[in-house]
Amino acid sequence: MAETLLVEFEESPFSPWGASLATERADGAATPEIFTTIGDLDTVASKLSRTGLQYRANEVLTTPDREEPLAMCEASSTGDNSARKEARIGNESTENARLVELAVFPGFNPDSHTPLPNGLDTLVVMRLVTSTQSRLSLQPSFRERWKKIFYSQPSQNVFLDTFWWFFLQKYQRNKPSQEQLFTRTADNYVRLLTSHQIGPNDRDAIFKLYPDCIAQSIYSAFIHAFPNSWNSFDDTFKTDLCSTVYLWQVGLKPLPNCWQKWNSEMLEPKGLQKLKMAAGKEQTTSSLSKKGFDFGAFLDRECKEE
């Protein structure tokens, strides 16, 4: 008899699944369990099919008149090499606008997706992330196919709604909005999974890379939109972010500290590494903040000097 491979699945504290299940209990429908279990892969996959994105995905796929063609976004003529420069461009006219703690979610709109804060462009951030992937640079043909999927409209929507769900989870809890964002994320993720533009040979490769790139995009968006709060986006923030994205899209937690392989210097604003070193050598971040030190202005000066 073949040896059974055991895996552990653990409910994330940042997952909205529990809230979703509570709603189903009120409706009297069959209730999937929230669980921490060890079992073979088939058993775990069976349970996952009744929870999380896969559970929502089944609702989308079985709802009449919900099938829509995958709208591919036109690739810009701007190359990935210029993405980093463009990612710094945003509406960051005041110091308060650079603080994530003072940001406010504009509200869920069922007819459109909330853009990134402070004027950040969604595609610019996603191109920046693509430019940091060493694997893609070694496979030019696959890179082009990847860009068509990663830059597609459903993929941008997954990025935006996951960004705002995580923002609400961290800084402005709002259960109804988070439920709506999660459900719409599942809708768009299913459109990616069922897209005819993804060849069978590419599907596994693309969706092994996809959750990591979405997590990197969200991290990069946070730190570009709110540079004065850079010290809030620490190891714990990145670990929670990766756990959320992977549990939603894969159904399992990623390897511990998977974010350590990110090219942080490229994902973050220019000058941030120098700022971190200066803050560590001279004074603590809190003391700099109390003196009114504008981290965003520092980053802007560093970029102009270069």
Side-chain angles (χ1 to χ4, degrees):
M1 180 180 295
E3 183 179 354
T4 300
L5 176 63
L6 297 181
V7 296
E8 182 175 359
F9 174 82
E10 181 178 349
E11 171 76 8
S12 168
F14 304 99
S15 170
W17 299 352
S20 300
L21 302 182
T23 301
E24 286 149 18
R25 289 194 191 94
D27 294 340
T31 303
E33 58 182 327
I34 299 177
F35 57 91
T36 299
T37 186
I38 296 179
D40 61 80
L41 287 173
D42 289 339
T43 301
V44 174
S46 175
K47 291 186 176 183
L48 286 177
S49 68
R50 297 182 285 118
T51 56
L53 287 183
Q54 292 189 38
Y55 183 81
R56 292 299 187 187
N58 290 335
E59 292 183 342
V60 174
L61 292 175
T62 57
T63 302
D65 303 322
R66 289 295 296 276
E67 295 184 3
E68 302 175 21
L70 180 63
M72 305 303 293
C73 179
E74 287 292 330
S76 169
S77 59
T78 304
D80 287 332
N81 291 336
S82 62
R84 177 170 176 163
K85 178 180 178 181
E86 292 181 32
R88 298 196 305 269
I89 301 175
N91 181 22
E92 302 174 330
S93 58
T94 67
E95 181 178 355
N96 285 349
R98 303 166 187 257
L99 291 169
V100 69
E101 295 82 1
L102 299 181
V104 178
F105 176 55
F108 180 84
N109 186 336
D111 300 319
S112 64
H113 290 74
T114 304
L116 295 175
N118 292 330
L120 281 183
D121 184 90
T122 305
L123 272 178
V124 167
V125 176
M126 298 177 86
R127 290 192 191 103
L128 171 64
V129 170
T130 294
S131 72
T132 70
Q133 307 305 306
S134 57
R135 175 186 174 183
L136 294 178
S137 64
L138 299 174
Q139 298 176 294
S141 59
F142 177 71
R143 175 190 175 95
E144 293 307 310
R145 297 194 297 275
W146 158 264
K147 287 161 67 174
K148 289 182 180 180
I149 301 303
F150 191 54
Y151 300 161
S152 69
Q153 194 60 57
S155 181
Q156 291 184 59
N157 295 342
V158 167
F159 170 28
L160 288 171
D161 280 346
T162 308
F163 173 93
W164 284 112
W165 186 95
F166 195 70
F167 169 83
L168 291 175
Q169 183 69 16
K170 282 287 188 180
Y171 304 105
Q172 189 184 324
R173 294 290 181 93
N174 186 320
K175 181 178 177 181
S177 291
Q178 287 178 271
E179 285 273 343
Q180 293 169 314
L181 289 167
F182 177 75
T183 301
R184 190 164 64 182
T185 299
D187 190 328
N188 282 287
Y189 190 66
V190 169
R191 294 176 66 195
L192 278 177
L193 290 173
T194 58
S195 168
H196 295 294
Q197 280 84 359
I198 306 177
N201 295 331
D202 287 338
R203 188 177 298 275
D204 287 345
I206 285 175
F207 287 104
K208 284 181 181 178
L209 184 61
Y210 188 78
D212 190 47
C213 286
I214 286 294
Q216 290 184 55
S217 299
I218 293 172
Y219 171 74
S220 187
F222 267 103
I223 206 160
H224 276 95
F226 307 111
N228 275 359
S229 296
W230 63 268
N231 57 318
S232 297
F233 311 134
D234 55 11
D235 294 354
T236 300
F237 178 94
K238 287 179 281 190
T239 296
D240 294 344
L241 172 60
C242 289
S243 294
T244 298
V245 173
Y246 272 81
L247 276 168
W248 285 17
Q249 296 184 9
V250 181
L252 297 170
K253 283 187 176 182
L255 293 173
N257 301 326
C258 64
W259 46 265
Q260 288 184 343
K261 69 180 186 299
W262 294 355
N263 189 339
S264 297
E265 187 174 356
M266 285 289 292
L267 294 175
E268 298 169 352
K270 282 186 176 180
L272 182 57
Q273 294 296 325
K274 187 181 295 186
L275 172 60
K276 290 179 179 179
M277 292 177 62
K281 289 180 179 179
E282 297 176 9
Q283 303 175 73
T284 63
T285 301
S286 59
S287 64
L288 287 171
S289 299
K290 289 177 181 178
K291 292 183 178 181
F293 186 82
D294 190 337
F295 297 106
F298 177 89
L299 295 178
D300 289 343
R301 289 198 302 274
E302 289 297 311
C303 294
K304 289 177 182 178
E305 289 176 2
E306 294 183 6

